[in-house]
Amino acid sequence: MSTNQTVSYFLSFESGSFLSAKHSRLYAEPVAALWAKNCVLSPWCVFTPNTTKDVAEGLAIIRRTNTRFSVRGAGHMPVNNLDPDNFPLYSNH
Amino acid sequence: MKVPGAASLNDGVMIGTTNLLARQLVHGNTVLRLGPGNTWGEVYDFMGPYERAVVGGRYGPVGVGGLLLGGGVDYFGGQYGWAMNSVRNYEVVLANSTVVEANANHYSDLFWALKGGSNNFGIVTRFDLITYEVEEVYGGSTFFDPPAFPMFLDAVTSYFKPGGGVDDPQVAINPCILANASGRVVSSNLLSFHRGGDPAPWSLANFSKVPASMEDVALRSTFAVFTDNKNIDVPPDRSGR
């Protein structure tokens, strides 16, 4: 499996939280609901943990596999980021 | 404000905290525990029956997490400052996956950093907000047609001058002027707010003199009634913001 598939597999397998793969509706909405089309990128998957524990376990998998990630909350103008590749962001969809 | 790439990434995992939806009043309703996936509209609806308010976003569709971590412009800024000032504890997942409570006594450096530190220091999974007793409030939306624009702008200028309405700690305004692509002003409106039962706050008097095309400004029995007012000019979605 590619790194992409491996990380997605472990995120969905090890945590009870929902993981949406590409081309699903739950993937498309948070990815696309941004201000402008050139703000839209294509993450491998969207991980929406249900509990704090799931956040911690998901983050461990992401760290172990040296995967880049972003974080989004419930929405505002998308204005904050660390760098284009790795920016935890609370602005949700 | 266009920020290409913001809030997502290529070749990696996007974590959405949208399912972290806790809403719980504790300590005799003086503290509200909130998950970052809530929107402020949901929060104010939840708080409605308690005659208490939290210092949060002015617009219902805006989310809790980003606003509180970024600072947060709110209706109570004259008294309490940025919304982040009323966060007394954060539950945070650190980069090494440990979960900590950051407050004035534990992880106080992280507590300090999260006040405006955005998303750079961990993933916040719960905010504990101080709640305030808020009874009646006054305010709403006023819309102005082009002939009234100069008077409206004069009123905005007067408001921000020393001694103007802005000196009233209980008042907040959001004046909006919309121009079309050629730069011509096509509409303007005012969102006004005043905490308390005064039906004619002095700090908003200049605006009352401007002829309005439409007005819905009144005393509201609770803060939730004010924030629920469907006539408040809220962008229906984020596409225009």
Side-chain angles (χ1 to χ4, degrees):
Chain A
M1 282 195 290
S2 68
T3 311
N4 166 353
Q5 289 168 323
T6 308
V7 171
S8 298
Y9 174 77
F10 279 111
L11 278 175
S12 59
F13 191 75
E14 288 199 7
S15 99
S17 292
F18 195 76
L19 185 102
S20 43
K22 275 190 182 181
H23 310 303
S24 73
R25 184 182 59 84
L26 284 161
Y27 174 92
E29 282 180 2
V31 170
L34 290 167
W35 193 91
K37 284 201 166 55
N38 62 352
C39 295
V40 177
L41 300 177
S42 300
W44 293 338
C45 58
V46 178
F47 178 52
T48 48
N50 291 322
T51 65
T52 300
K53 184 167 169 281
D54 287 351
V55 174
E57 289 180 356
L59 201 55
I61 294 166
I62 286 167
R63 194 181 65 251
R64 228 160 39 225
T65 49
N66 200 25
T67 298
R68 295 184 294 186
F69 69 99
S70 69
V71 183
R72 313 180 68 190
H76 204 292
M77 284 190 295
V79 290
N80 298 309
N81 60 52
L82 272 179
D83 66 64
D85 293 327
N86 181 358
F87 53 107
L89 210 242
Y90 267 90
S91 308
N92 186 349
H93 331 336
Chain B
M1 194 177 301
K2 181 166 59 177
V3 185
S8 187
L9 79 173
N10 290 317
D11 302 324
V13 176
M14 176 198 282
I15 302 174
T17 60
T18 40
N19 284 344
L20 300 177
L21 295 168
R23 289 193 287 269
Q24 184 189 16
L25 278 162
V26 294
H27 304 308
N29 297 349
T30 59
V31 172
L32 176 63
R33 293 180 172 165
L34 277 184
N38 288 293
T39 62
W40 290 107
E42 293 164 344
V43 174
Y44 299 143
D45 284 347
F46 173 78
M47 293 292 284
Y50 300 97
E51 296 193 338
R52 302 186 72 82
V54 287
V55 180
R58 294 171 301 171
Y59 296 106
V62 170
V64 161
L67 185 119
L68 288 177
L69 288 173
V73 178
D74 60 80
Y75 287 116
F76 302 99
Q79 292 178 298
Y80 307 124
W82 297 92
M84 66 184 181
N85 293 355
S86 293
V87 182
R88 66 169 226 175
N89 182 72
Y90 303 85
E91 182 189 74
V92 193
V93 178
L94 302 180
N96 64 6
S97 289
T98 45
V99 180
V100 303
E101 304 282 339
N103 52 54
N105 300 315
H106 298 101
Y107 292 90
S108 57
D109 53 348
L110 181 59
F111 180 67
W112 175 84
L114 288 170
K115 303 264 180 170
S118 288
N119 37 47
N120 300 313
F121 300 100
I123 299 175
V124 176
T125 47
R126 197 190 74 237
F127 298 84
D128 295 352
L129 295 184
I130 299 165
T131 71
Y132 301 96
E133 190 173 352
V134 177
E135 295 172 344
E136 283 179 293
V137 302
Y138 170 89
S141 288
T142 314
F143 295 82
F144 306 102
D145 283 340
F149 290 168
M151 283 186 75
F152 176 53
L153 284 177
D154 285 347
V156 174
T157 307
S158 302
Y159 177 94
F160 284 110
K161 279 181 179 166
V166 70
D167 283 359
D168 180 349
Q170 293 178 209
V171 76
I173 64 167
N174 188 8
C176 296
I177 294 167
L178 292 100
N180 65 13
S182 65
R184 193 173 65 87
V185 174
V186 290
S187 70
S188 66
N189 64 74
L190 177 77
L191 175 58
S192 58
F193 173 85
H194 188 265
R195 179 180 182 180
D198 185 349
W202 68 266
S203 43
L204 297 169
N206 279 341
F207 295 109
S208 312
K209 295 172 190 159
V210 183
S213 58
M214 197 283 252
E215 186 176 37
D216 179 18
V217 182
L219 272 182
R220 321 285 180 180
S221 55
T222 67
F223 182 64
V225 169
F226 171 77
T227 55
D228 269 350
N229 186 337
K230 297 298 179 277
N231 284 330
I232 286 178
D233 184 38
V234 177
D237 58 45
R238 271 174 283 279
S239 59
R241 292 194 41 88

